[in-house]
Amino acid sequence: MNNNTLTSEVQNFINTHLKTDISKLAFKGSPFNDISIQELINQIVSKNKCTEKLPTWFVTPCIYYPPKINIEQTSSEKTALYKSTLINGNTLIDLSGGFGVDSFYFSKVFKNVIHCEIDAELSEITSYNYQQLNATNICCINNDGISYLNSLTKKFDWIYIDPSRRNELSKKLFRLTDCLPDVPLYLDLLFKHTNSVLVKVSPFLDINLGIKELKFVKEVHIVAVDNEVKELLFILKKNDTDTVLVKTINMIGSLTQIFNYDLRDENSIVQYSTPLKYLFEPNKAIYKSGAFNLIAKKYNLYKLANNTHLYTAKELINFPGNCYEVLEQLPYNYNQLKAVLPNLTANIKIRNFPDTIIAIKKKLKIKDGGPFYVFFTTNDEEKKIIIITKKLN
């Protein structure tokens, strides 16, 4: 951490050049003797990445930014705030603190927070930034979280852990043992120091396998922002063997779509139908949950087919996803489509369909855009169909 970047002159330079072409800036070199151009560029690039993701950090004067990869890997303020609504108490230890966004929001609902980070420079940066953010109840420890916890005898109200991937090749995770630290391996240690654990994992993790690998899972939270799943959260309660509650959350601007269910209820019986007046497409958090039958039962909807996770009804309802008015249903045929959609301009969606969007565009000569959303899917008779719709939300 180069403290020379924190002078008013350098901070003015950084803020003035937030929109400057980085390649041109690099060519000019640094105007400061004690700061390299690489350091200046890192501050500019990383700060820019915080504009929407971490607006509190972005607007706070004299924040010191780590390399951009640390910004990319950290929670957003939206998801960190959400996590802080789930738990509270006197003491929490964050075993994999990183840039410290989660710990910052936990500090608003806990009296004392310990932030563990094994990277010495990142720990120093985070500790300094907490001072700038006036987060005075967070203690930063430069140590591996598991090793530090193993050295303690005290208990905490909550333990929070966000295991990292071993490498970029294992991005699509199917097991918690693919992460560092291996949370299932250390569960006994965690429960020695707390009765309550919050685990954040990659959105690619298989939920049912995660439940099997962990102990005493009480809740699973699937958190999406703007219809993109960002986090999976597992709440563990020591010795709790009751059923698992699954909560899906999709935050879109000021709107939050919520769908919760008991894991035991998913094996619901559904009815099928051809497209009726309205078509409903679940948000990505619900898709991730796999509650494809239960969503139909709860909202009294028909499903198009067993493996076609689209739903239909005669009446418009408040649904956690996208709602469409059905204008036309056609077989998968170019001439019939052209007769209904003469300009062949539409927004294409596929669900349970053998062809890709690229292949469909090429085959049917469809251009992107326009007011129509066209679904290419398969009905309950295993026939390929086209549904022309207009989006309502």
Side-chain angles (χ1 to χ4, degrees):
M1 178 173 173
N2 187 346
N3 291 320
N4 294 312
T5 63
L6 303 173
T7 65
S8 59
E9 185 180 10
V10 177
Q11 288 295 302
N12 287 336
F13 179 89
I14 291 168
N15 292 328
T16 302
H17 290 84
L18 288 174
K19 303 300 180 184
T20 302
D21 187 316
I22 294 300
S23 60
K24 293 180 179 178
L25 200 61
F27 181 77
K28 290 181 179 179
S30 174
F32 307 104
N33 294 328
D34 45 10
I35 307 169
S36 69
I37 187 60
Q38 289 78 17
E39 289 174 306
L40 290 171
I41 288 174
N42 177 76
Q43 293 300 303
I44 292 169
V45 170
S46 292
K47 182 167 185 174
N48 272 324
K49 286 190 171 291
C50 293
T51 309
E52 294 184 4
K53 187 175 186 178
L54 304 176
T56 300
W57 276 253
F58 184 82
V59 301
T60 300
C62 290
I63 288 291
Y64 192 96
Y65 295 91
K68 65 177 183 177
I69 189 170
N70 296 121
I71 305 296
E72 292 167 349
Q73 291 176 345
T74 193
S75 296
S76 67
E77 286 195 57
K78 274 190 175 182
T79 58
L81 175 61
Y82 176 76
K83 285 192 283 289
S84 74
T85 67
L86 304 179
I87 62 177
N88 60 74
N90 290 317
T91 57
L92 175 141
I93 182 168
D94 182 346
L95 298 181
S96 45
F99 190 50
V101 178
D102 287 325
S103 284
F104 174 74
Y105 276 91
F106 289 139
S107 74
K108 297 178 181 295
V109 291
F110 284 85
K111 289 184 178 180
N112 293 289
V113 173
I114 295 177
H115 170 281
C116 297
E117 173 52 49
I118 194 170
D119 184 302
E121 184 176 25
L122 185 55
S123 181
E124 180 187 8
I125 290 170
T126 303
S127 179
Y128 161 78
N129 286 337
Y130 284 153
Q131 296 174 40
Q132 299 304 112
L133 294 163
N134 199 31
T136 57
N137 60 333
I138 307 175
C139 174
C140 289
I141 303 294
N142 174 212
N143 199 348
D144 170 68
I146 293 293
S147 298
Y148 181 71
L149 185 66
N150 214 12
S151 71
L152 301 176
T153 56
K154 68 178 292 185
K155 295 193 71 170
F156 297 89
D157 291 336
W158 282 86
I159 290 177
Y160 173 66
I161 185 166
D162 174 10
S164 64
R165 296 186 286 271
R166 293 184 190 275
N167 55 60
E168 286 303 311
L169 296 178
S170 57
K171 184 178 181 181
K172 292 190 176 182
L173 298 175
F174 295 94
R175 300 187 67 88
L176 279 165
T177 50
D178 292 330
C179 301
L180 287 174
D182 180 346
V183 176
L185 181 65
Y186 294 107
L187 280 176
D188 289 342
L189 173 64
L190 301 184
F191 284 124
K192 179 182 175 183
H193 291 276
T194 190
N195 293 328
S196 305
V197 179
L198 175 59
V199 185
K200 170 190 165 184
V201 300
S202 163
F204 295 105
L205 183 79
D206 181 272
I207 295 172
N208 290 321
L209 185 55
I211 292 172
K212 290 178 181 178
E213 287 187 294
L214 295 168
K215 286 183 183 177
F216 313 130
V217 177
K218 181 72 175 175
E219 296 179 7
V220 178
H221 294 248
I222 306 168
V223 184
V225 177
D226 296 329
N227 211 27
E228 179 182 355
V229 177
K230 295 292 187 179
E231 297 180 358
L232 294 184
L233 307 171
F234 291 81
I235 291 180
L236 318 181
K237 288 286 188 178
K238 188 175 182 179
N239 297 326
D240 192 315
T241 56
D242 200 1
T243 186
V244 178
L245 180 64
V246 180
K247 299 187 175 185
T248 72
I249 301 92
N250 184 34
M251 295 179 275
I252 306 175
S254 60
L255 173 69
T256 300
Q257 298 173 337
I258 298 173
F259 176 67
N260 303 335
Y261 65 95
D262 187 315
L263 197 62
R264 295 173 300 188
D265 296 336
E266 169 47 15
N267 296 322
S268 302
I269 298 174
V270 297
Q271 293 181 300
Y272 302 100
S273 172
T274 55
L276 301 173
K277 186 173 183 180
Y278 297 101
L279 193 70
F280 303 94
E281 178 188 31
N283 64 48
K284 291 299 177 64
I286 294 173
Y287 264 96
K288 177 65 181 179
S289 78
F292 299 123
N293 290 347
L294 190 58
I295 193 81
K297 180 181 178 182
K298 181 168 182 178
Y299 287 95
N300 197 27
L301 301 172
Y302 295 97
K303 220 178 166 189
L304 294 195
N306 184 50
N307 295 315
T308 300
H309 307 312
L310 292 170
Y311 305 83
T312 190
K314 294 179 180 178
E315 304 292 333
L316 184 63
I317 62 170
N318 185 16
F319 183 79
N322 292 323
C323 305
Y324 304 85
E325 181 183 2
V326 176
L327 304 177
E328 194 82 42
Q329 176 190 330
L330 308 167
Y332 186 32
N333 179 280
Y334 171 78
N335 290 327
Q336 292 192 44
L337 179 64
K338 186 169 176 58
V340 176
L341 209 65
N343 292 328
L344 289 177
T345 300
N347 303 283
I348 296 178
K349 287 177 170 280
I350 56 173
R351 291 290 183 271
N352 187 25
F353 200 77
D355 294 345
T356 64
I357 290 179
I358 293 175
I360 291 169
K361 285 181 180 179
K362 185 176 180 180
K363 183 176 181 179
L364 302 184
K365 302 178 179 62
I366 298 176
K367 301 182 290 293
D368 285 325
F372 302 110
Y373 285 76
V374 179
F375 287 83
F376 291 78
T377 188
T378 306
N379 65 17
D380 194 36
E381 298 177 347
E382 297 298 320
K383 293 180 180 178
K384 292 184 284 187
I385 61 171
I386 302 172
I387 308 170
I388 301 174
T389 72
K390 184 172 287 188
K391 193 174 181 182
L392 300 176
N393 63 341

